[in-house]
Amino acid sequence: MLKIAVLVSYYDGDKFIREQLDSILSQRVDPDLRMDVYVRNDGSPNSDLAILKEYVDKGQISLLDEENVGVKLSFFKLLQVVAGYDYYFFSDQDDVWVDNKVQLMVNEMRKYPSSIPVGVYCDLFVADKDAKPTGKVMKSGVLPVKPHAPASSSDYILRYYEVTGAGFAINRAAREMAVSMGEDVFKKTTMHDAALGFMLTSAGTLVFMDTPLTYYRQHGNNLIGVNNHHDSIIRNIKSAQTIVEGRIEKIYGLFMVNQSIDVVNNKERAELVKKVMVESPWKAPVYLWKLRDYVYGKHKVLKQIIYTVFGVSMVKKYQTMYRAGK
């Protein structure tokens, strides 16, 4: 029998957590799959955890009531503590899962050898505050990533926010690699799903499923909402700076992950990423140009000019963070 762990980080989530947990517990899975749900309370100051304790009393979830460390480290701590499972699913506290999500994503992961780190991320329905679909999806038609094609996810990881934790699962080998990287890497990347995405494109397999399997609820308290991923021409100075910093932040995250793993699939890209982060910031435009297929996308010459103007100071910022251990 294959064992599945669902990891939920909870923080003052009483409003939607019942609907989230019910959608997880009502998953339709084959008899050879066993699913356990682990909820980590991340030091919620405004919840008595009464709803979660109802599920504990029924034997439906395991509850870890711990101090606040923030969502990134909360998921890392869940990965540390919950060992011995074949597959690990990440869950927000306010979405709704399609009832065959677990089965379909496990089927995808089973196509790959269990000895290599594998992660699968699915598309998501954009939902309103009542978890009703809006008619939009989050990734298909926006991300150029090809479904069921690991090399495609690797090609675009520095340009797009590919992996959304609410639609993400990994196998045991990926969990072991993630834990071995240590919590410091998770602290220094944008989110836990970004760290794992970088890890899998560098030293494993990352696969996109274009089937929407989560109703991704949009409400005023979302930690991460739906953004416009289109790779358009920069229209003003402010957006140019924002886009440049976002890409440099991704390069920094990938660099931090690569520093913590032994084997890297794309050695050429890893070496260029390293040079951006450790050599003189004034050399950064040279290395960014060599990384242009991963970083720029369309309008490469125009973007090289923009990255030359704004990139040096951004690289300097992240180099300073790296040297300071931040």
Side-chain angles (χ1 to χ4, degrees), residues 115-322:
S115 58
I116 64 172
V118 175
V120 171
Y121 62 106
C122 66
D123 206 343
L124 305 93
F125 292 110
V126 178
D128 63 18
K129 61 183 177 61
D130 299 314
K132 303 300 182 186
T134 63
K136 298 178 181 179
V137 295
M138 193 168 176
K139 299 185 185 296
S140 298
V142 176
L143 286 181
V145 177
K146 296 177 182 177
H148 316 288
S152 184
S153 289
S154 180
D155 287 344
Y156 293 104
I157 196 71
L158 287 175
R159 265 196 282 154
Y160 294 89
Y161 190 76
E162 289 184 353
V163 180
T164 303
F168 189 35
I170 61 176
N171 68 356
R172 185 197 300 249
R175 177 258 170 194
E176 290 172 355
M177 179 175 283
V179 171
S180 72
M181 287 198 305
E183 69 176 48
D184 197 46
V185 172
F186 283 76
K187 283 181 185 176
K188 294 173 181 177
T189 44
T190 314
M191 285 292 283
H192 63 287
D193 47 18
L196 292 166
F198 291 142
M199 180 193 82
L200 289 164
T201 57
S202 286
T205 297
L206 181 64
V207 186
F208 172 50
M209 290 178 64
D210 57 352
T211 306
L213 296 173
T214 299
Y215 293 97
Y216 193 59
R217 194 193 305 260
Q218 298 298 288
H219 55 86
N221 298 319
N222 286 86
L223 189 60
I224 302 289
V226 175
N227 296 306
N228 184 355
H229 295 270
H230 288 290
D231 192 19
S232 57
I233 299 176
I234 289 79
R235 288 177 290 184
N236 54 58
I237 297 297
K238 186 175 180 181
S239 66
Q241 290 175 313
T242 300
I243 291 173
V244 170
E245 179 159 21
R247 303 285 168 84
I248 300 301
E249 183 180 43
K250 284 177 175 290
I251 290 171
Y252 178 65
L254 180 58
F255 169 67
M256 294 306 302
V257 167
N258 287 347
Q259 293 293 99
S260 66
I261 53 182
D262 295 328
V263 180
V264 176
N265 296 335
N266 190 331
K267 290 186 171 70
E268 181 182 7
R269 182 180 69 178
E271 186 60 28
L272 289 170
V273 163
K274 181 179 179 180
K275 286 180 177 179
V276 171
M277 283 296 127
V278 301
E279 294 197 8
S280 168
W282 297 103
K283 293 182 179 179
V286 174
Y287 301 126
L288 288 170
W289 179 249
K290 291 181 179 180
L291 285 165
R292 61 190 178 275
D293 290 337
Y294 298 107
V295 178
Y296 292 169
K298 297 178 181 178
H299 315 292
K300 289 182 175 63
V301 175
L302 173 61
K303 288 181 180 176
Q304 176 67 10
I305 296 169
I306 293 169
Y307 276 74
T308 300
V309 172
F310 296 113
V312 172
S313 62
M314 298 298 181
V315 168
K316 199 172 194 178
K317 170 185 170 180
Y318 284 95
Q319 286 186 351
T320 301
M321 289 170 56
Y322 172 59

Side-chain angles (χ1 to χ4, degrees), residues 1-2 4 27-34 103 107 110:
M1 177 170 284
L2 293 174
I4 298 162
Q27 288 289 300
R28 295 184 292 111
V29 296
D30 290 344
D32 67 334
L33 300 182
R34 190 192 95 193
Q103 186 66 61
N107 290 349
R110 290 174 85 167

